[in-house]
Amino acid sequence: MKKLIGVLVVAVGAYLGLTYYGGYAGERAFKQQLEQSAVQGEVHGYEVELVSYDRGFMSADMVMTVRMDLTSMGLDEVALTSNTKIQHGPIMFTNRGVKLGLFAAESQLELVTNDDGLNQWLNELVAQVLDDSLMIGHFNQSYTGFVTVPELDQTVGEGLLKFEGGELLVKGNYDGRHAQGQLELGALHFNDGDSATWMLSPSKLDFDIHMLDDMVNYEGQMRYQADSLTVSVAGAPEFVLADVGMRMSQDLVTERLDSQVAFTVGEVQGSPIATKNVIYEVTLKQVSPAAVAAWQGLAQDLQQPSGELDFSAYQAELMEVLELLLQEGLQAKAHIGADVLDGDVSMTLEANYVGLPGGRALSEVVEVMDYFAIADADLEVKLSESVLMQTPLYFMLAQYLDSYFTQEGDHFVMRASLQGGQLSIAGELFPLEFLVGG
């Protein structure tokens, strides 16, 4: 019997010890996150304030406020206040059942502006969108967050918007530098009440992001996928974009950022011209993180009410951003392509920064045309012969085929380049005014 009592005493002591530690660890974790949020807020133009943190033995209450200056939108300030109830672990009873961990946090949000009518609408929206949220703090200095996005059935003008709701799962570290997770969204349906209907199938967004030291730039990737986007208009065939996707990635390579974003469509259904594997892709390589941070700061200064912005007052700052951006190794590339009928079409543009002749700085440029010398660029347009002959493209390009295109196997190809400030198309030199319509 004494042994049993001893075991119970040890177990209770251990539990109470974990509860105390959960409260301590929870407070430290939230304050660490708030410190990082405050740093990001300074860069992105908002202010983060911890109003209070009252820690008891079994639970704690935290009040935090985020303030945003929206004078450019006709609002003096928007304040988002989070009232958070925190349970200390290791066993917690939450809105999602019993959970194990150091702490569990459930928040209620309140938005306040200088517009009473807007206040009511915003708070109703927040209550709808974030009516079921939970954050669990784990024993390994990480957290898991859950947010349920409720269903929506809303009249919009003469139309109707229906949304089947969604679920967000996010995991990260207390320092706020890393987050990964998944957002699953239900189907979205909109009818304008007249002749048009839009339907987006259930979709999913996956992300894995790691903030860099400046808390502005990041490494990571995001990927979005939906089975279909359907557009129906009375009197016209139904139009379906099947297998719709978006992917983004960014990596730090030799202390510079390499970024890529691509939009894809597996098949265009309902089009009179069979089209598959559509892609629009943009790549930026060797972008200076300092340039991104400087542009973020400048963008905050440029957020002024319409009609009051004087760009001339920011020429020095804009030139600083450009000089940070335009560095050796900078490259931009854009690609558009698709499989059409029984062939394919594509256009690829690649530009590489080479700097001004003689090592001149951008601030020394006087003539606008001199800017064309800062980069060498190549453009390639490629069309399958079968596509050209079976679509209206032939009538649009017929007069240019002999002059600017060469036939290479089953394709017609046009190449243009801008090298050393000289423009050539199909090997023929053109004045630079050709680019600006002069």
Side-chain angles (χ1 to χ4, degrees), residues 254-310:
T254 61
E255 299 185 355
R256 298 289 177 90
L257 296 169
D258 286 357
S259 308
Q260 184 181 67
V261 58
F263 300 91
T264 59
V265 175
E267 183 177 5
V268 181
Q269 301 171 358
S271 170
I273 300 175
T275 305
K276 296 182 179 181
N277 300 323
V278 181
I279 184 170
Y280 170 60
E281 186 175 46
V282 176
T283 302
L284 286 173
K285 290 187 175 181
Q286 294 298 282
V287 174
S288 166
V292 179
W295 168 249
Q296 181 65 47
L298 178 58
Q300 294 299 321
D301 294 337
L302 294 176
Q303 290 183 7
Q304 298 183 24
S306 178
E308 298 182 14
L309 182 61
D310 180 10

Side-chain angles (χ1 to χ4, degrees), residues 217-269:
N217 295 287
Y218 69 90
E219 289 185 288
Q221 53 275 326
M222 289 184 281
R223 184 179 295 271
Y224 173 82
Q225 197 71 35
D227 288 340
S228 64
L229 172 62
T230 304
V231 181
S232 301
V233 179
E238 187 174 78
F239 190 73
V240 181
L241 301 180
D243 192 16
V244 178
M246 182 275 293
R247 61 178 185 270
M248 298 175 61
S249 65
Q250 185 161 277
D251 298 292
L252 192 66
V253 180
T254 61
E255 299 185 355
R256 298 289 177 90
L257 296 169
D258 286 357
S259 308
Q260 184 181 67
V261 58
F263 300 91
T264 59
V265 175
E267 183 177 5
V268 181
Q269 301 171 358

Side-chain angles (χ1 to χ4, degrees), residues 294-357:
W295 168 249
Q296 181 65 47
L298 178 58
Q300 294 299 321
D301 294 337
L302 294 176
Q303 290 183 7
Q304 298 183 24
S306 178
E308 298 182 14
L309 182 61
D310 180 10
F311 279 101
S312 62
Y314 298 95
Q315 286 184 354
E317 290 86 349
L318 181 57
M319 190 60 63
E320 178 185 355
V321 172
L322 288 175
E323 289 178 345
L324 288 170
L325 174 66
L326 299 176
Q327 300 289 331
E328 182 180 358
L330 179 67
Q331 181 188 83
K333 184 176 181 179
H335 174 75
I336 302 174
D339 293 338
V340 180
L341 298 173
D342 53 353
D344 60 87
V345 298
S346 66
M347 180 176 69
T348 303
L349 174 64
E350 181 177 313
N352 294 277
Y353 176 73
V354 295
L356 288 167

Side-chain angles (χ1 to χ4, degrees), residues 162-182:
K162 291 185 177 182
F163 173 53
E164 293 183 355
E167 184 78 14
L168 171 65
L169 169 67
V170 59
K171 298 181 179 181
N173 299 324
Y174 295 156
D175 62 8
R177 289 177 176 267
H178 180 239
Q180 66 180 52
Q182 184 177 91

